[in-house]
Amino acid sequence: MRVLGKRDDGYHELDTVLQTVSLHDTITFERTDDDDIRMWCDDRSVPVDKTNLVWRAAAALRERYSISHGVKIRLEKRVPAEAGLGGGSSDAAATLMALAFLWEIEMSEDDLAQVAESLGSDVPFFLYGGTAHATGRGNVIEPLEDSPQKHLLIIKPNASISTAKAYRTLNRSALTSADSKPILFRSQASNFSASIDQNALQNDFEPVVLEQEPEIERAKNALLKSGAPAAMLSGSGSAVIGIFDNQDAQERAIQAIELETGWRAFPCKTVGRDRYQSVMGAAGEIS
Ligand code: C5P
């Protein structure tokens, strides 16, 4: 993930590759005849009011298309929050797709993408899934060919990172320092290969986030020590992803990895676009 610099609108220009994985939340929608949006979540630490992106996605659709129906939404949360995994953004995208269907809204792909990007920079990606090149503030999506399936081990250390705070830290520590040129320069030479080579992976958030939260660096090192050929901070963190050539190597790492108190481990794999779209279209389960 390359952060190219700050834009006039206050966001940062990005150049990155995004990938859907099998770790997911489950959301159930039930159309109602009143005009309320009611929401439940099995995780009590997750807000179920207008501060939740799912609620805001439903409200945005209802307002834009003057919908007179309501909805009951049940969210089963598994993707950790403030981890840089896009959990909230993927929930929001799923909500848009589900409610466009349930509320029988006729909307073009462009309309859907517009509502999606008004909710968050990385929400549009989750309308497509698979592997994609993202530019702009992360909202301009160019689908790429699926890369071969990879097995992953995601570690969520105790530290939580808010995206806005991570960008602010990045500004203070890197973009505005003498190092800003190397960041901008390195960003030109993007490598979109599906390589599992540690040297081919780059995330401009890593140096600043790992320095600020040594626990995250320990999580990355634990993955490498457990046999992951490559490991990287996910987005702005705090989750770290270990990438494996095959399931055997992933399973050996699950046995070998030394987790500190409170760390959570999520074994999963990459999900290609066809699989993602068929599951989202059929509103089924990703496995
Ligand atoms: O777009 P989203 O709501 O996910 O962004 C959360 C925050 O992260 C923004 O308010 C902004 O501070 C920061 N951000 C950024 N540049 C981006 C994406 C996000 O500065 N490309």
PDB file of all heavy atoms in Angstrom, residues 84-116:
ATOM      1  N   GLY A  84      -7.904  -2.526  10.335  1.00  0.00           N
ATOM      2  CA  GLY A  84      -7.435  -2.283   8.965  1.00  0.00           C
ATOM      3  C   GLY A  84      -7.834  -3.390   8.022  1.00  0.00           C
ATOM      4  O   GLY A  84      -7.216  -3.600   6.976  1.00  0.00           O
ATOM      5  N   LEU A  85      -8.888  -4.131   8.396  1.00  0.00           N
ATOM      6  CA  LEU A  85      -9.321  -5.254   7.562  1.00  0.00           C
ATOM      7  C   LEU A  85     -10.549  -4.919   6.725  1.00  0.00           C
ATOM      8  O   LEU A  85     -11.026  -5.754   5.949  1.00  0.00           O
ATOM      9  CB  LEU A  85      -9.627  -6.471   8.458  1.00  0.00           C
ATOM     10  CG  LEU A  85      -8.419  -7.082   9.173  1.00  0.00           C
ATOM     11  CD1 LEU A  85      -8.872  -8.084  10.227  1.00  0.00           C
ATOM     12  CD2 LEU A  85      -7.487  -7.761   8.163  1.00  0.00           C
ATOM     13  N   GLY A  86     -11.100  -3.731   6.871  1.00  0.00           N
ATOM     14  CA  GLY A  86     -12.263  -3.339   6.067  1.00  0.00           C
ATOM     15  C   GLY A  86     -13.550  -4.031   6.495  1.00  0.00           C
ATOM     16  O   GLY A  86     -14.485  -4.139   5.711  1.00  0.00           O
ATOM     17  N   GLY A  87     -13.610  -4.482   7.740  1.00  0.00           N
ATOM     18  CA  GLY A  87     -14.810  -5.184   8.216  1.00  0.00           C
ATOM     19  C   GLY A  87     -16.056  -4.317   8.108  1.00  0.00           C
ATOM     20  O   GLY A  87     -17.063  -4.727   7.519  1.00  0.00           O
ATOM     21  N   GLY A  88     -15.995  -3.114   8.633  1.00  0.00           N
ATOM     22  CA  GLY A  88     -17.143  -2.205   8.594  1.00  0.00           C
ATOM     23  C   GLY A  88     -17.496  -1.816   7.163  1.00  0.00           C
ATOM     24  O   GLY A  88     -18.668  -1.734   6.796  1.00  0.00           O
ATOM     25  N   SER A  89     -16.474  -1.630   6.335  1.00  0.00           N
ATOM     26  CA  SER A  89     -16.713  -1.232   4.944  1.00  0.00           C
ATOM     27  C   SER A  89     -17.368  -2.357   4.156  1.00  0.00           C
ATOM     28  O   SER A  89     -18.270  -2.118   3.335  1.00  0.00           O
ATOM     29  CB  SER A  89     -15.392  -0.862   4.261  1.00  0.00           C
ATOM     30  OG  SER A  89     -14.821   0.254   4.905  1.00  0.00           O
ATOM     31  N   SER A  90     -16.947  -3.600   4.402  1.00  0.00           N
ATOM     32  CA  SER A  90     -17.556  -4.715   3.667  1.00  0.00           C
ATOM     33  C   SER A  90     -18.996  -4.918   4.126  1.00  0.00           C
ATOM     34  O   SER A  90     -19.875  -5.226   3.313  1.00  0.00           O
ATOM     35  CB  SER A  90     -16.735  -5.994   3.827  1.00  0.00           C
ATOM     36  OG  SER A  90     -16.618  -6.352   5.175  1.00  0.00           O
ATOM     37  N   ASP A  91     -19.253  -4.707   5.408  1.00  0.00           N
ATOM     38  CA  ASP A  91     -20.641  -4.791   5.897  1.00  0.00           C
ATOM     39  C   ASP A  91     -21.507  -3.736   5.213  1.00  0.00           C
ATOM     40  O   ASP A  91     -22.655  -3.995   4.850  1.00  0.00           O
ATOM     41  CB  ASP A  91     -20.697  -4.557   7.415  1.00  0.00           C
ATOM     42  CG  ASP A  91     -20.036  -5.681   8.199  1.00  0.00           C
ATOM     43  OD1 ASP A  91     -19.845  -6.775   7.644  1.00  0.00           O
ATOM     44  OD2 ASP A  91     -19.712  -5.451   9.387  1.00  0.00           O
ATOM     45  N   ALA A  92     -20.960  -2.546   5.060  1.00  0.00           N
ATOM     46  CA  ALA A  92     -21.721  -1.458   4.437  1.00  0.00           C
ATOM     47  C   ALA A  92     -22.033  -1.793   2.975  1.00  0.00           C
ATOM     48  O   ALA A  92     -23.162  -1.579   2.500  1.00  0.00           O
ATOM     49  CB  ALA A  92     -20.935  -0.151   4.523  1.00  0.00           C
ATOM     50  N   ALA A  93     -21.044  -2.328   2.259  1.00  0.00           N
ATOM     51  CA  ALA A  93     -21.266  -2.674   0.850  1.00  0.00           C
ATOM     52  C   ALA A  93     -22.320  -3.780   0.735  1.00  0.00           C
ATOM     53  O   ALA A  93     -23.213  -3.724  -0.124  1.00  0.00           O
ATOM     54  CB  ALA A  93     -19.949  -3.133   0.205  1.00  0.00           C
ATOM     55  N   ALA A  94     -22.240  -4.776   1.631  1.00  0.00           N
ATOM     56  CA  ALA A  94     -23.229  -5.863   1.606  1.00  0.00           C
ATOM     57  C   ALA A  94     -24.623  -5.306   1.887  1.00  0.00           C
ATOM     58  O   ALA A  94     -25.615  -5.740   1.276  1.00  0.00           O
ATOM     59  CB  ALA A  94     -22.856  -6.919   2.649  1.00  0.00           C
ATOM     60  N   THR A  95     -24.705  -4.334   2.785  1.00  0.00           N
ATOM     61  CA  THR A  95     -26.002  -3.719   3.123  1.00  0.00           C
ATOM     62  C   THR A  95     -26.583  -3.013   1.898  1.00  0.00           C
ATOM     63  O   THR A  95     -27.782  -3.138   1.600  1.00  0.00           O
ATOM     64  CB  THR A  95     -25.813  -2.725   4.295  1.00  0.00           C
ATOM     65  OG1 THR A  95     -25.287  -3.452   5.402  1.00  0.00           O
ATOM     66  CG2 THR A  95     -27.133  -2.072   4.684  1.00  0.00           C
ATOM     67  N   LEU A  96     -25.746  -2.275   1.181  1.00  0.00           N
ATOM     68  CA  LEU A  96     -26.234  -1.578  -0.022  1.00  0.00           C
ATOM     69  C   LEU A  96     -26.792  -2.580  -1.029  1.00  0.00           C
ATOM     70  O   LEU A  96     -27.884  -2.386  -1.593  1.00  0.00           O
ATOM     71  CB  LEU A  96     -25.106  -0.771  -0.680  1.00  0.00           C
ATOM     72  CG  LEU A  96     -24.568   0.429   0.100  1.00  0.00           C
ATOM     73  CD1 LEU A  96     -23.449   1.104  -0.685  1.00  0.00           C
ATOM     74  CD2 LEU A  96     -25.696   1.434   0.392  1.00  0.00           C
ATOM     75  N   MET A  97     -26.059  -3.656  -1.257  1.00  0.00           N
ATOM     76  CA  MET A  97     -26.496  -4.641  -2.260  1.00  0.00           C
ATOM     77  C   MET A  97     -27.781  -5.342  -1.805  1.00  0.00           C
ATOM     78  O   MET A  97     -28.709  -5.528  -2.586  1.00  0.00           O
ATOM     79  CB  MET A  97     -25.386  -5.654  -2.523  1.00  0.00           C
ATOM     80  CG  MET A  97     -24.228  -5.026  -3.284  1.00  0.00           C
ATOM     81  SD  MET A  97     -23.019  -6.243  -3.851  1.00  0.00           S
ATOM     82  CE  MET A  97     -21.962  -6.329  -2.443  1.00  0.00           C
ATOM     83  N   ALA A  98     -27.828  -5.710  -0.531  1.00  0.00           N
ATOM     84  CA  ALA A  98     -29.003  -6.435  -0.020  1.00  0.00           C
ATOM     85  C   ALA A  98     -30.244  -5.545  -0.047  1.00  0.00           C
ATOM     86  O   ALA A  98     -31.325  -5.989  -0.465  1.00  0.00           O
ATOM     87  CB  ALA A  98     -28.735  -6.918   1.407  1.00  0.00           C
ATOM     88  N   LEU A  99     -30.079  -4.285   0.375  1.00  0.00           N
ATOM     89  CA  LEU A  99     -31.263  -3.419   0.466  1.00  0.00           C
ATOM     90  C   LEU A  99     -31.713  -2.916  -0.909  1.00  0.00           C
ATOM     91  O   LEU A  99     -32.910  -2.686  -1.114  1.00  0.00           O
ATOM     92  CB  LEU A  99     -31.007  -2.258   1.427  1.00  0.00           C
ATOM     93  CG  LEU A  99     -30.883  -2.698   2.891  1.00  0.00           C
ATOM     94  CD1 LEU A  99     -30.751  -1.496   3.815  1.00  0.00           C
ATOM     95  CD2 LEU A  99     -32.095  -3.538   3.318  1.00  0.00           C
ATOM     96  N   ALA A 100     -30.787  -2.781  -1.837  1.00  0.00           N
ATOM     97  CA  ALA A 100     -31.198  -2.412  -3.203  1.00  0.00           C
ATOM     98  C   ALA A 100     -32.138  -3.503  -3.727  1.00  0.00           C
ATOM     99  O   ALA A 100     -33.136  -3.224  -4.403  1.00  0.00           O
ATOM    100  CB  ALA A 100     -29.974  -2.267  -4.104  1.00  0.00           C
ATOM    101  N   PHE A 101     -31.858  -4.749  -3.359  1.00  0.00           N
ATOM    102  CA  PHE A 101     -32.690  -5.882  -3.779  1.00  0.00           C
ATOM    103  C   PHE A 101     -34.002  -5.906  -2.984  1.00  0.00           C
ATOM    104  O   PHE A 101     -35.093  -5.934  -3.566  1.00  0.00           O
ATOM    105  CB  PHE A 101     -31.889  -7.176  -3.566  1.00  0.00           C
ATOM    106  CG  PHE A 101     -32.671  -8.423  -3.845  1.00  0.00           C
ATOM    107  CD1 PHE A 101     -32.937  -8.821  -5.145  1.00  0.00           C
ATOM    108  CD2 PHE A 101     -33.162  -9.197  -2.794  1.00  0.00           C
ATOM    109  CE1 PHE A 101     -33.680  -9.965  -5.400  1.00  0.00           C
ATOM    110  CE2 PHE A 101     -33.892 -10.343  -3.034  1.00  0.00           C
ATOM    111  CZ  PHE A 101     -34.159 -10.732  -4.337  1.00  0.00           C
ATOM    112  N   LEU A 102     -33.889  -5.852  -1.650  1.00  0.00           N
ATOM    113  CA  LEU A 102     -35.089  -5.981  -0.795  1.00  0.00           C
ATOM    114  C   LEU A 102     -36.059  -4.815  -0.965  1.00  0.00           C
ATOM    115  O   LEU A 102     -37.271  -4.993  -0.889  1.00  0.00           O
ATOM    116  CB  LEU A 102     -34.675  -6.037   0.681  1.00  0.00           C
ATOM    117  CG  LEU A 102     -34.303  -7.376   1.279  1.00  0.00           C
ATOM    118  CD1 LEU A 102     -34.086  -7.218   2.780  1.00  0.00           C
ATOM    119  CD2 LEU A 102     -35.394  -8.414   1.029  1.00  0.00           C
ATOM    120  N   TRP A 103     -35.523  -3.633  -1.157  1.00  0.00           N
ATOM    121  CA  TRP A 103     -36.366  -2.443  -1.317  1.00  0.00           C
ATOM    122  C   TRP A 103     -36.700  -2.180  -2.798  1.00  0.00           C
ATOM    123  O   TRP A 103     -37.277  -1.159  -3.130  1.00  0.00           O
ATOM    124  CB  TRP A 103     -35.677  -1.214  -0.699  1.00  0.00           C
ATOM    125  CG  TRP A 103     -35.695  -1.201   0.816  1.00  0.00           C
ATOM    126  CD1 TRP A 103     -36.513  -1.908   1.647  1.00  0.00           C
ATOM    127  CD2 TRP A 103     -34.853  -0.403   1.681  1.00  0.00           C
ATOM    128  NE1 TRP A 103     -36.238  -1.614   2.958  1.00  0.00           N
ATOM    129  CE2 TRP A 103     -35.229  -0.692   3.016  1.00  0.00           C
ATOM    130  CE3 TRP A 103     -33.833   0.529   1.458  1.00  0.00           C
ATOM    131  CZ2 TRP A 103     -34.611  -0.079   4.118  1.00  0.00           C
ATOM    132  CZ3 TRP A 103     -33.222   1.138   2.552  1.00  0.00           C
ATOM    133  CH2 TRP A 103     -33.607   0.831   3.869  1.00  0.00           C
ATOM    134  N   GLU A 104     -36.273  -3.113  -3.631  1.00  0.00           N
ATOM    135  CA  GLU A 104     -36.557  -3.056  -5.075  1.00  0.00           C
ATOM    136  C   GLU A 104     -36.190  -1.707  -5.688  1.00  0.00           C
ATOM    137  O   GLU A 104     -36.987  -1.066  -6.361  1.00  0.00           O
ATOM    138  CB  GLU A 104     -38.043  -3.370  -5.321  1.00  0.00           C
ATOM    139  CG  GLU A 104     -38.398  -4.793  -4.907  1.00  0.00           C
ATOM    140  CD  GLU A 104     -39.900  -5.038  -4.836  1.00  0.00           C
ATOM    141  OE1 GLU A 104     -40.553  -4.843  -5.877  1.00  0.00           O
ATOM    142  OE2 GLU A 104     -40.384  -5.394  -3.755  1.00  0.00           O
ATOM    143  N   ILE A 105     -34.939  -1.308  -5.432  1.00  0.00           N
ATOM    144  CA  ILE A 105     -34.462  -0.042  -5.979  1.00  0.00           C
ATOM    145  C   ILE A 105     -33.762  -0.319  -7.300  1.00  0.00           C
ATOM    146  O   ILE A 105     -32.896  -1.196  -7.373  1.00  0.00           O
ATOM    147  CB  ILE A 105     -33.445   0.634  -5.026  1.00  0.00           C
ATOM    148  CG1 ILE A 105     -34.060   0.800  -3.643  1.00  0.00           C
ATOM    149  CG2 ILE A 105     -32.977   1.969  -5.575  1.00  0.00           C
ATOM    150  CD1 ILE A 105     -33.063   1.278  -2.589  1.00  0.00           C
ATOM    151  N   GLU A 106     -34.147   0.403  -8.328  1.00  0.00           N
ATOM    152  CA  GLU A 106     -33.433   0.251  -9.603  1.00  0.00           C
ATOM    153  C   GLU A 106     -32.290   1.245  -9.613  1.00  0.00           C
ATOM    154  O   GLU A 106     -32.522   2.453  -9.676  1.00  0.00           O
ATOM    155  CB  GLU A 106     -34.391   0.533 -10.762  1.00  0.00           C
ATOM    156  CG  GLU A 106     -35.457  -0.502 -10.840  1.00  0.00           C
ATOM    157  CD  GLU A 106     -35.875  -0.808 -12.273  1.00  0.00           C
ATOM    158  OE1 GLU A 106     -35.346  -0.154 -13.195  1.00  0.00           O
ATOM    159  OE2 GLU A 106     -36.729  -1.688 -12.423  1.00  0.00           O
ATOM    160  N   MET A 107     -31.099   0.761  -9.502  1.00  0.00           N
ATOM    161  CA  MET A 107     -29.958   1.679  -9.517  1.00  0.00           C
ATOM    162  C   MET A 107     -28.835   1.105 -10.368  1.00  0.00           C
ATOM    163  O   MET A 107     -28.611  -0.100 -10.401  1.00  0.00           O
ATOM    164  CB  MET A 107     -29.493   2.037  -8.104  1.00  0.00           C
ATOM    165  CG  MET A 107     -29.100   0.902  -7.210  1.00  0.00           C
ATOM    166  SD  MET A 107     -29.022   1.376  -5.441  1.00  0.00           S
ATOM    167  CE  MET A 107     -27.762   2.639  -5.405  1.00  0.00           C
ATOM    168  N   SER A 108     -28.135   2.026 -11.053  1.00  0.00           N
ATOM    169  CA  SER A 108     -27.039   1.590 -11.911  1.00  0.00           C
ATOM    170  C   SER A 108     -25.824   1.285 -11.037  1.00  0.00           C
ATOM    171  O   SER A 108     -25.774   1.659  -9.864  1.00  0.00           O
ATOM    172  CB  SER A 108     -26.689   2.695 -12.899  1.00  0.00           C
ATOM    173  OG  SER A 108     -26.162   3.792 -12.179  1.00  0.00           O
ATOM    174  N   GLU A 109     -24.825   0.618 -11.648  1.00  0.00           N
ATOM    175  CA  GLU A 109     -23.580   0.342 -10.923  1.00  0.00           C
ATOM    176  C   GLU A 109     -22.930   1.639 -10.446  1.00  0.00           C
ATOM    177  O   GLU A 109     -22.381   1.712  -9.362  1.00  0.00           O
ATOM    178  CB  GLU A 109     -22.605  -0.379 -11.859  1.00  0.00           C
ATOM    179  CG  GLU A 109     -22.409  -1.820 -11.479  1.00  0.00           C
ATOM    180  CD  GLU A 109     -21.450  -2.514 -12.414  1.00  0.00           C
ATOM    181  OE1 GLU A 109     -20.292  -2.062 -12.516  1.00  0.00           O
ATOM    182  OE2 GLU A 109     -21.873  -3.486 -13.060  1.00  0.00           O
ATOM    183  N   ASP A 110     -23.028   2.684 -11.305  1.00  0.00           N
ATOM    184  CA  ASP A 110     -22.423   3.972 -10.945  1.00  0.00           C
ATOM    185  C   ASP A 110     -23.098   4.584  -9.729  1.00  0.00           C
ATOM    186  O   ASP A 110     -22.440   5.141  -8.844  1.00  0.00           O
ATOM    187  CB  ASP A 110     -22.540   4.966 -12.119  1.00  0.00           C
ATOM    188  CG  ASP A 110     -21.420   4.752 -13.114  1.00  0.00           C
ATOM    189  OD1 ASP A 110     -20.562   3.887 -12.851  1.00  0.00           O
ATOM    190  OD2 ASP A 110     -21.422   5.437 -14.167  1.00  0.00           O
ATOM    191  N   ASP A 111     -24.451   4.501  -9.697  1.00  0.00           N
ATOM    192  CA  ASP A 111     -25.185   5.036  -8.537  1.00  0.00           C
ATOM    193  C   ASP A 111     -24.755   4.318  -7.263  1.00  0.00           C
ATOM    194  O   ASP A 111     -24.517   4.938  -6.230  1.00  0.00           O
ATOM    195  CB  ASP A 111     -26.708   4.826  -8.700  1.00  0.00           C
ATOM    196  CG  ASP A 111     -27.281   5.718  -9.789  1.00  0.00           C
ATOM    197  OD1 ASP A 111     -26.621   6.717 -10.138  1.00  0.00           O
ATOM    198  OD2 ASP A 111     -28.387   5.406 -10.288  1.00  0.00           O
ATOM    199  N   LEU A 112     -24.653   2.989  -7.389  1.00  0.00           N
ATOM    200  CA  LEU A 112     -24.288   2.178  -6.232  1.00  0.00           C
ATOM    201  C   LEU A 112     -22.886   2.562  -5.744  1.00  0.00           C
ATOM    202  O   LEU A 112     -22.654   2.737  -4.544  1.00  0.00           O
ATOM    203  CB  LEU A 112     -24.325   0.695  -6.640  1.00  0.00           C
ATOM    204  CG  LEU A 112     -24.403  -0.346  -5.534  1.00  0.00           C
ATOM    205  CD1 LEU A 112     -25.595  -0.122  -4.629  1.00  0.00           C
ATOM    206  CD2 LEU A 112     -24.476  -1.760  -6.134  1.00  0.00           C
ATOM    207  N   ALA A 113     -21.973   2.735  -6.708  1.00  0.00           N
ATOM    208  CA  ALA A 113     -20.593   3.096  -6.346  1.00  0.00           C
ATOM    209  C   ALA A 113     -20.555   4.479  -5.688  1.00  0.00           C
ATOM    210  O   ALA A 113     -19.779   4.715  -4.759  1.00  0.00           O
ATOM    211  CB  ALA A 113     -19.697   3.065  -7.582  1.00  0.00           C
ATOM    212  N   GLN A 114     -21.430   5.382  -6.171  1.00  0.00           N
ATOM    213  CA  GLN A 114     -21.456   6.739  -5.600  1.00  0.00           C
ATOM    214  C   GLN A 114     -21.910   6.720  -4.143  1.00  0.00           C
ATOM    215  O   GLN A 114     -21.308   7.369  -3.287  1.00  0.00           O
ATOM    216  CB  GLN A 114     -22.444   7.576  -6.403  1.00  0.00           C
ATOM    217  CG  GLN A 114     -21.860   8.864  -6.919  1.00  0.00           C
ATOM    218  CD  GLN A 114     -22.906   9.603  -7.717  1.00  0.00           C
ATOM    219  OE1 GLN A 114     -23.987   9.921  -7.216  1.00  0.00           O
ATOM    220  NE2 GLN A 114     -22.607   9.867  -8.976  1.00  0.00           N
ATOM    221  N   VAL A 115     -22.976   5.966  -3.868  1.00  0.00           N
ATOM    222  CA  VAL A 115     -23.442   5.866  -2.479  1.00  0.00           C
ATOM    223  C   VAL A 115     -22.351   5.194  -1.646  1.00  0.00           C
ATOM    224  O   VAL A 115     -22.055   5.622  -0.530  1.00  0.00           O
ATOM    225  CB  VAL A 115     -24.755   5.047  -2.371  1.00  0.00           C
ATOM    226  CG1 VAL A 115     -25.250   5.033  -0.932  1.00  0.00           C
ATOM    227  CG2 VAL A 115     -25.824   5.615  -3.279  1.00  0.00           C
ATOM    228  N   ALA A 116     -21.729   4.158  -2.209  1.00  0.00           N
ATOM    229  CA  ALA A 116     -20.687   3.418  -1.480  1.00  0.00           C
ATOM    230  C   ALA A 116     -19.546   4.350  -1.081  1.00  0.00           C
ATOM    231  O   ALA A 116     -19.118   4.371   0.072  1.00  0.00           O
ATOM    232  CB  ALA A 116     -20.166   2.258  -2.335  1.00  0.00           C
TER     233      ALA A 116
END
